Short mmCIF file of all heavy atoms in Angstrom, two decimals:
data_model
loop_
_atom_site.label_atom_id
_atom_site.label_comp_id
_atom_site.label_asym_id
_atom_site.label_seq_id
_atom_site.Cartn_x
_atom_site.Cartn_y
_atom_site.Cartn_z
N VAL B 1244 -38.96 4.32 -26.97
CA VAL B 1244 -38.43 5.52 -27.58
C VAL B 1244 -39.53 6.57 -27.54
O VAL B 1244 -40.63 6.35 -28.07
CB VAL B 1244 -38.00 5.29 -29.04
CG1 VAL B 1244 -37.56 6.60 -29.67
CG2 VAL B 1244 -36.87 4.27 -29.09
N ILE B 1245 -39.25 7.67 -26.85
CA ILE B 1245 -40.23 8.73 -26.71
C ILE B 1245 -39.95 9.80 -27.77
O ILE B 1245 -38.86 10.34 -27.84
CB ILE B 1245 -40.14 9.37 -25.31
CG1 ILE B 1245 -40.36 8.30 -24.24
CG2 ILE B 1245 -41.16 10.50 -25.16
CD1 ILE B 1245 -40.03 8.75 -22.84
N GLU B 1246 -40.95 10.04 -28.61
CA GLU B 1246 -40.78 11.01 -29.69
C GLU B 1246 -42.03 11.88 -29.75
O GLU B 1246 -43.14 11.36 -29.85
CB GLU B 1246 -40.58 10.26 -31.02
CG GLU B 1246 -40.08 11.14 -32.14
CD GLU B 1246 -39.61 10.31 -33.32
OE1 GLU B 1246 -39.78 9.07 -33.31
OE2 GLU B 1246 -39.05 10.90 -34.27
N ILE B 1259 -29.53 3.55 -29.81
CA ILE B 1259 -29.68 4.94 -30.25
C ILE B 1259 -28.48 5.76 -29.81
O ILE B 1259 -28.04 5.68 -28.67
CB ILE B 1259 -30.99 5.54 -29.68
CG1 ILE B 1259 -32.18 4.95 -30.44
CG2 ILE B 1259 -30.99 7.06 -29.81
CD1 ILE B 1259 -33.51 5.44 -29.96
N ASP B 1260 -27.97 6.57 -30.72
CA ASP B 1260 -26.80 7.40 -30.45
C ASP B 1260 -27.27 8.74 -29.89
O ASP B 1260 -27.79 9.58 -30.62
CB ASP B 1260 -26.01 7.59 -31.75
CG ASP B 1260 -24.68 8.28 -31.52
OD1 ASP B 1260 -24.59 9.12 -30.61
OD2 ASP B 1260 -23.73 7.98 -32.26
N ILE B 1261 -27.09 8.93 -28.58
CA ILE B 1261 -27.57 10.16 -27.93
C ILE B 1261 -26.94 11.40 -28.53
O ILE B 1261 -27.57 12.44 -28.67
CB ILE B 1261 -27.27 10.11 -26.41
CG1 ILE B 1261 -27.86 8.84 -25.80
CG2 ILE B 1261 -27.84 11.34 -25.72
CD1 ILE B 1261 -29.34 8.71 -25.95
N LYS B 1262 -25.67 11.28 -28.90
CA LYS B 1262 -24.96 12.43 -29.46
C LYS B 1262 -25.64 12.90 -30.74
O LYS B 1262 -25.83 14.10 -30.97
CB LYS B 1262 -23.51 12.04 -29.72
CG LYS B 1262 -22.66 13.15 -30.30
CD LYS B 1262 -21.24 12.65 -30.53
CE LYS B 1262 -20.37 13.74 -31.12
NZ LYS B 1262 -19.00 13.24 -31.40
N LYS B 1263 -26.00 11.93 -31.59
CA LYS B 1263 -26.66 12.29 -32.85
C LYS B 1263 -28.04 12.89 -32.60
O LYS B 1263 -28.46 13.82 -33.29
CB LYS B 1263 -26.77 11.06 -33.76
CG LYS B 1263 -25.45 10.61 -34.35
CD LYS B 1263 -25.62 9.38 -35.22
CE LYS B 1263 -24.28 8.92 -35.78
NZ LYS B 1263 -24.39 7.63 -36.51
N GLU B 1264 -28.74 12.34 -31.61
CA GLU B 1264 -30.07 12.86 -31.30
C GLU B 1264 -29.99 14.30 -30.81
O GLU B 1264 -30.82 15.14 -31.14
CB GLU B 1264 -30.76 11.97 -30.26
CG GLU B 1264 -31.02 10.55 -30.71
CD GLU B 1264 -31.93 10.47 -31.93
OE1 GLU B 1264 -32.90 11.27 -32.00
OE2 GLU B 1264 -31.67 9.64 -32.81
N GLN B 1265 -28.94 14.58 -30.01
CA GLN B 1265 -28.77 15.95 -29.51
C GLN B 1265 -28.46 16.89 -30.65
O GLN B 1265 -28.96 18.01 -30.70
CB GLN B 1265 -27.63 15.99 -28.47
CG GLN B 1265 -28.01 15.40 -27.12
CD GLN B 1265 -26.84 15.40 -26.14
OE1 GLN B 1265 -25.68 15.38 -26.55
NE2 GLN B 1265 -27.14 15.40 -24.86
N ALA B 1266 -27.63 16.42 -31.59
CA ALA B 1266 -27.27 17.26 -32.74
C ALA B 1266 -28.50 17.52 -33.60
O ALA B 1266 -28.71 18.62 -34.11
CB ALA B 1266 -26.18 16.58 -33.55
N LYS B 1267 -29.32 16.49 -33.74
CA LYS B 1267 -30.55 16.62 -34.53
C LYS B 1267 -31.47 17.68 -33.92
O LYS B 1267 -32.03 18.52 -34.62
CB LYS B 1267 -31.26 15.26 -34.58
CG LYS B 1267 -32.38 15.18 -35.61
CD LYS B 1267 -33.28 13.98 -35.36
CE LYS B 1267 -32.56 12.66 -35.54
NZ LYS B 1267 -33.49 11.51 -35.33
N ALA B 1268 -31.61 17.63 -32.60
CA ALA B 1268 -32.49 18.59 -31.92
C ALA B 1268 -31.97 20.00 -32.07
O ALA B 1268 -32.73 20.95 -32.25
CB ALA B 1268 -32.60 18.23 -30.44
N LYS B 1269 -30.64 20.14 -32.01
CA LYS B 1269 -30.05 21.46 -32.14
C LYS B 1269 -30.31 22.04 -33.53
O LYS B 1269 -30.43 23.25 -33.70
CB LYS B 1269 -28.54 21.38 -31.88
CG LYS B 1269 -27.85 22.73 -31.83
CD LYS B 1269 -26.34 22.58 -31.73
CE LYS B 1269 -25.89 22.21 -30.33
NZ LYS B 1269 -24.42 22.23 -30.22
N ASN B 1270 -30.42 21.16 -34.53
CA ASN B 1270 -30.67 21.61 -35.89
C ASN B 1270 -32.15 21.69 -36.21
O ASN B 1270 -32.53 21.72 -37.38
CB ASN B 1270 -29.97 20.67 -36.89
CG ASN B 1270 -28.47 20.76 -36.78
OD1 ASN B 1270 -27.93 21.83 -36.52
ND2 ASN B 1270 -27.78 19.65 -36.99
N GLY B 1272 -34.51 19.43 -35.56
CA GLY B 1272 -35.22 18.16 -35.70
C GLY B 1272 -35.80 17.69 -34.38
O GLY B 1272 -35.65 18.34 -33.35
N THR B 1273 -36.47 16.55 -34.41
CA THR B 1273 -37.06 15.99 -33.20
C THR B 1273 -36.10 15.00 -32.57
O THR B 1273 -35.59 14.10 -33.23
CB THR B 1273 -38.37 15.24 -33.55
OG1 THR B 1273 -39.27 16.16 -34.15
CG2 THR B 1273 -39.00 14.66 -32.28
N ARG B 1274 -35.86 15.17 -31.28
CA ARG B 1274 -34.94 14.28 -30.58
C ARG B 1274 -35.69 13.08 -30.03
O ARG B 1274 -36.71 13.23 -29.37
CB ARG B 1274 -34.27 15.04 -29.44
CG ARG B 1274 -33.37 14.16 -28.59
CD ARG B 1274 -32.64 14.98 -27.54
NE ARG B 1274 -31.97 14.11 -26.58
CZ ARG B 1274 -31.22 14.55 -25.58
NH1 ARG B 1274 -31.05 15.84 -25.41
NH2 ARG B 1274 -30.65 13.71 -24.75
N ARG B 1275 -35.18 11.89 -30.31
CA ARG B 1275 -35.78 10.69 -29.75
C ARG B 1275 -35.15 10.40 -28.39
O ARG B 1275 -33.94 10.49 -28.22
CB ARG B 1275 -35.53 9.50 -30.69
CG ARG B 1275 -36.21 9.63 -32.04
CD ARG B 1275 -35.95 8.40 -32.88
NE ARG B 1275 -34.52 8.25 -33.16
CZ ARG B 1275 -33.99 7.13 -33.66
NH1 ARG B 1275 -34.76 6.09 -33.90
NH2 ARG B 1275 -32.70 7.07 -33.91
N LEU B 1276 -35.99 10.07 -27.42
CA LEU B 1276 -35.52 9.82 -26.06
C LEU B 1276 -35.67 8.34 -25.72
O LEU B 1276 -36.78 7.87 -25.54
CB LEU B 1276 -36.33 10.66 -25.06
CG LEU B 1276 -36.31 12.17 -25.27
CD1 LEU B 1276 -37.33 12.85 -24.36
CD2 LEU B 1276 -34.93 12.73 -25.02
N PRO B 1277 -34.56 7.62 -25.62
CA PRO B 1277 -34.65 6.21 -25.21
C PRO B 1277 -34.97 6.10 -23.72
O PRO B 1277 -34.54 6.93 -22.93
CB PRO B 1277 -33.26 5.66 -25.50
CG PRO B 1277 -32.52 6.74 -26.22
CD PRO B 1277 -33.18 8.02 -25.90
#
Side-chain angles (χ1 to χ4, degrees):
Chain B
V1244 176
I1245 302 168
E1246 193 167 6
I1259 287 179
D1260 188 327
I1261 305 300
K1262 180 180 180 182
K1263 288 179 181 173
E1264 297 299 321
Q1265 285 177 334
K1267 192 196 295 182
K1269 187 187 283 187
N1270 293 326
T1273 301
R1274 175 175 170 178
R1275 295 182 297 167
L1276 302 170

